Amino acid sequence: IRLLCLIFLIIVSYLGFSIINEYDTNIHIEVLNYNIDISSFFALSSMLVVCIIISLLIRILSFIINTPNLISQRIKTSKTEHNIKQLINAYSFILSNNRSEAESIIFRIKNELTTEFAAHIYLLLSELETEAEQKSYNLKHLLDFSGYKHFATKALAEHFFKYQYYQQSLEYIKQTPNLKNDIEAQKILITIYAKLQNWEECENSISNLESLKPELLKELEPEIANLYFVAAKTMLENGEDDRASYYLKQSLTYQANFIEAIDLLCSLNINAGKGKLNKPFIENAFAISPSFELCELYARSTNLKAQATYQELASLVDSRKHLGIFMAFAAYLGLDDEIKALKESIE
């Protein structure tokens, strides 16, 4: 193939020169009383060679002029690459809990990196900083970067919540993008509203979280129950017994065996002459975790005779598995026959 290509090139070259010689014409040039006769082919070839030489000279001159800038740019690029590697190392040290090493790297390179890496610097500094004001300063700067706003708003909310600045915490968590569908943000909102004693908004956030992820709320049931219990005590302090009763019922919805809530609700109902309303709450709690305290509350809440009261609770669980509780309850009600029967079941 190479031989064929060479033969083809020779033939084409021969034909090309033959055509040029056939159609070539002489050009007469007169310069300073000198007459010059040259062929048109030679004139065009000479002009082409001159253009090529000028182009090469321009390139060489441009290279000489730009060489210092190229060297400077190369040094700058190399330094930036080195700092980026250091930045990655800082992330690694933070993840491995080597905070002192990460801090030394950041303070060494933070003034050398360009503005495009500013977000990384503020993020790392916010993780490393222990002084409250400086930490909030770094987190606030992250709000200017769209990719970090979601993180920064929640981090600021948690930061101010930690130092009991609940109103500021609320202001930042409300800036969270797509707040209503953000599970973590809703969890923070619940605790903030509870601290601010804004119980209506707290309940709305709980409902919203339940609609977003019911299984998560199941994990948080003890915490939610306690929040409603705190709300009920707040209502009692304000003299709002009906609202207190409502929040206690909500508390027991999430944790049926919350004994403090049951005790307070039963006391409210008994004082209001509504002791019968306590029955379902006590029965639900007793079926989950029997206790003598619940037995006593049940006895105080019902108008049934002692034997009937005992039998109703005994029907909820196996009395033989809770002998101590039922023997104490039978003694409390004065039911000697039931005590005797329990003792015989042991034998």
Side-chain angles (χ1 to χ4, degrees):
I1 294 174
R2 289 181 180 179
L3 181 61
L4 290 174
C5 289
L6 181 61
I7 293 169
F8 177 76
L9 184 62
I10 292 170
I11 293 170
V12 169
S13 299
Y14 174 77
L15 291 173
F17 282 112
S18 298
I19 293 169
I20 288 169
N21 287 328
E22 185 177 347
Y23 293 99
D24 192 18
T25 57
N26 288 329
I27 299 173
H28 181 76
I29 301 173
E30 188 175 339
V31 180
L32 298 175
N33 297 323
Y34 289 97
N35 294 321
I36 302 172
D37 291 321
I38 58 173
S39 68
S40 58
F41 172 70
F42 179 77
L44 290 172
S45 299
S46 299
M47 289 177 63
L48 181 61
V49 169
V50 170
C51 288
I52 291 171
I53 291 171
I54 291 171
S55 176
L56 287 172
L57 288 173
I58 290 171
R59 281 177 171 271
I60 292 168
L61 185 63
S62 176
F63 176 76
I64 293 170
I65 293 170
N66 291 327
T67 295
N69 289 334
L70 290 171
I71 294 172
S72 175
Q73 189 65 35
R74 194 66 177 268
I75 293 171
K76 188 177 179 181
T77 302
S78 176
K79 196 171 184 179
T80 301
E81 289 175 353
H82 172 73
N83 287 333
I84 290 171
K85 288 179 181 178
Q86 291 290 85
L87 198 63
I88 294 170
N89 288 336
Y91 277 112
S92 301
F93 284 127
I94 287 177
L95 290 173
S96 59
N97 207 27
N98 191 346
R99 301 175 69 85
S100 59
E101 190 64 32
E103 191 171 355
S104 67
I105 290 174
I106 293 303
F107 281 103
R108 190 166 61 247
I109 67 172
K110 70 175 183 178
N111 295 324
E112 298 178 5
L113 288 169
T114 55
T115 53
E116 62 183 306
F117 296 100
H120 293 278
I121 296 298
Y122 287 126
L123 176 62
L124 289 167
L125 287 175
S126 68
E127 288 295 314
L128 293 169
E129 191 60 62
T130 55
E131 201 275 317
E133 188 173 344
Q134 193 62 37
K135 188 179 182 74
S136 65
Y137 170 83
N138 291 317
L139 287 171
K140 285 175 183 177
H141 273 287
L142 278 178
L143 293 173
D144 298 330
F145 302 90
S146 58
Y148 295 86
K149 187 172 183 180
H150 191 268
F151 165 80
T153 50
K154 287 196 286 189
L156 279 164
E158 291 174 346
H159 173 71
F160 283 111
F161 184 87
K162 177 182 176 181
Y163 292 98
Q164 300 181 6
Y165 295 110
Y166 302 124
Q167 196 60 49
Q168 290 94 322
S169 179
L170 180 61
E171 289 172 7
Y172 280 108
I173 200 62
K174 282 186 173 181
Q175 296 178 34
T176 303
N178 199 20
L179 176 61
K180 287 188 176 180
N181 296 317
D182 191 312
I183 293 170
E184 289 300 317
Q186 289 298 323
K187 286 169 64 176
I188 296 170
L189 260 182
I190 290 169
T191 54
I192 293 172
Y193 282 131
K195 290 295 183 180
L196 291 172
Q197 296 190 355
N198 189 340
W199 301 113
E200 289 184 7
E201 290 296 340
C202 183
E203 189 171 12
N204 289 338
S205 295
I206 291 170
S207 300
N208 196 31
L209 184 60
E210 187 170 19
S211 64
L212 286 173
K213 199 169 184 181
E215 63 273 19
L216 176 63
L217 200 67
K218 193 166 185 65
E219 296 174 11
L220 298 173
E221 282 181 348
E223 296 175 39
I224 301 298
N226 188 64
L227 286 178
Y228 276 122
F229 181 66
V230 173
K233 291 200 293 185
T234 304
M235 293 299 122
L236 278 177
E237 291 172 3
N238 297 334
E240 299 181 50
D241 289 6
D242 290 340
R243 293 292 293 168
S245 179
Y246 167 77
Y247 284 124
L248 287 169
K249 290 174 184 176
Q250 288 294 94
S251 176
L252 294 172
T253 301
Y254 290 97
Q255 189 178 1
N257 61 338
F258 191 178
I259 192 67
E260 290 87 351
I262 294 171
D263 188 24
L264 188 54
L265 179 62
C266 289
S267 298
L268 283 174
N269 286 335
I270 291 170
N271 292 337
K274 302 175 183 177
K276 290 182 180 180
L277 298 177
N278 295 336
K279 183 178 177 182
F281 299 106
I282 297 173
E283 289 178 347
N284 288 339
F286 194 81
I288 297 170
S289 52
S291 69
F292 177 74
E293 189 175 359
L294 288 172
C295 294
E296 191 177 10
L297 282 172
Y298 196 77
R300 288 169 53 200
S301 301
T302 182
N303 293 325
L304 295 173
K305 292 183 178 180
Q307 185 65 40
T309 301
Y310 179 88
Q311 290 299 330
E312 284 206 355
L313 281 185
S315 66
L316 298 175
V317 295
D318 187 349
S319 58
R320 290 171 298 179
K321 294 181 179 179
H322 306 282
L323 287 171
I325 294 171
F326 279 98
M327 288 183 72
F329 189 38
Y332 176 80
L333 295 173
L335 299 174
D336 296 333
D337 291 341
E338 294 296 341
I339 295 172
K340 184 179 179 181
L342 289 169
K343 287 181 178 179
E344 289 175 355
S345 68
I346 298 173
E347 298 171 359

